[in-house]
């Protein structure tokens, strides 16, 4: 059973996330979209809302589950028996950031492998923080997030 997690804040989930999830799915038997609860980071959307949106988007996809977790990502992986962490890469800045996290995670838990998927070119500029900014200023987020995401 190849179990992977796709960890993130998903505040809110974007079409960039959805693309990475769909493309990563054939690699694994089960993919858990794991919403990390970070008490230092004030989210725009409640955990319940973020989780509900993701569940709606992937309703009917048997291999996908949506969960929340607190603490270290590798500890959560160990707890649920996940051997893979899926992450998306947009830019060289993402790469540097992810390299650090990925390498330290490996120091903490050698048996867990991080797998990277490159963003589709059209989603390179899409991020949850840009979406939040547009929402804050009353702009249109069509084309950046799935239709299910209704602020
Ligand atoms: P975090 O809170 O850890 O930054 P996010 O919720 O922003 O997490 O994103 C989770 C994962 O999705 C990260 O690996 C991030 O690089 C990736 N990701 C975010 N936006 C995109 C995108 N537009 N295309 C591809 N991957 C993305």
């Amino acid at each position: 059973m190849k179990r992977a997690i796709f960890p993130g804040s998903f505040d809110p989930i974007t079409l960039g996330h959805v693309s990475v999830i769909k493309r990563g799915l054939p690699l694994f038997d089960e993919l858990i979209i794991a919403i990390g609860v970070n008490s230092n980071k004030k989210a725009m959307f409640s955990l319940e809302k973020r989780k509900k949106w993701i569940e709606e988007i992937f309703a009917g996809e048997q291999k996908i589950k949506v969960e929340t977790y607190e603490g270290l990502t590798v500890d959560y992986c160990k707890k649920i028996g996940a051997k893979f962490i899926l992450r998306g890469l947009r830019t060289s800045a993402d790469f540097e950031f992810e390299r650090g996290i990925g390498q330290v995670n490996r120091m903490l838990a050698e048996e867990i492998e991080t797998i990277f998927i490159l963003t589709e070119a059209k989603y390179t500029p899409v991020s949850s923080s840009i979406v939040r900014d547009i929402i804050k200023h009353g702009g249109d987020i069509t084309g950046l997030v799935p239709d299910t995401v209704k602020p």
Side-chain angles (χ1 to χ4, degrees):
M1 168 69 139
K2 274 191 204 158
R3 182 176 285 145
I5 73 163
F6 183 52
S9 311
F10 308 107
D11 186 32
I13 187 162
T14 69
L15 288 174
H17 293 130
V18 171
S19 167
V20 169
I21 292 165
K22 285 189 176 160
R23 290 162 59 215
L25 199 56
L27 303 175
F28 309 108
D29 299 311
E30 186 176 80
L31 180 60
I32 294 161
I33 302 172
I35 311 175
V37 182
N38 182 346
S39 47
N40 297 323
K41 219 169 159 182
K42 178 85 182 89
M44 173 176 262
F45 298 105
S46 70
L47 200 51
E48 292 70 33
K49 225 173 190 180
R50 284 182 271 158
K51 187 163 186 264
K52 197 175 119 267
W53 282 332
I54 303 172
E55 282 168 348
E56 278 175 34
I57 294 160
F58 296 107
E61 181 44 81
Q62 306 297 324
K63 286 167 70 179
I64 294 181
K65 292 198 171 64
V66 190
E67 304 289 350
T68 61
Y69 74 102
E70 271 179 90
L72 291 177
T73 303
V74 288
D75 286 344
Y76 178 65
C77 287
K78 285 181 192 166
K79 191 175 133 196
I80 63 163
K83 291 274 186 288
F84 303 94
I85 299 174
L86 177 64
R87 296 289 283 177
L89 286 179
R90 286 163 291 191
T91 59
S92 53
D94 267 2
F95 172 75
E96 279 306 323
F97 179 72
E98 295 291 342
R99 183 187 53 73
I101 299 182
Q103 289 174 335
V104 170
N105 279 343
R106 191 174 161 75
M107 287 160 81
L108 296 172
E110 206 172 60
E111 70 282 13
I112 298 169
E113 208 61 74
T114 306
I115 310 287
F116 297 102
I117 286 193
L118 279 180
T119 188
E120 275 181 74
K122 63 181 174 186
Y123 295 135
T124 303
V126 179
S127 69
S128 297
S129 68
I130 286 179
V131 169
R132 290 196 300 274
D133 245 24
I134 297 173
I135 294 169
K136 258 186 223 153
H137 298 99
D140 183 6
I141 54 170
T142 311
L144 303 178
V145 298
D147 293 339
T148 325
V149 175
K150 297 234 163 37

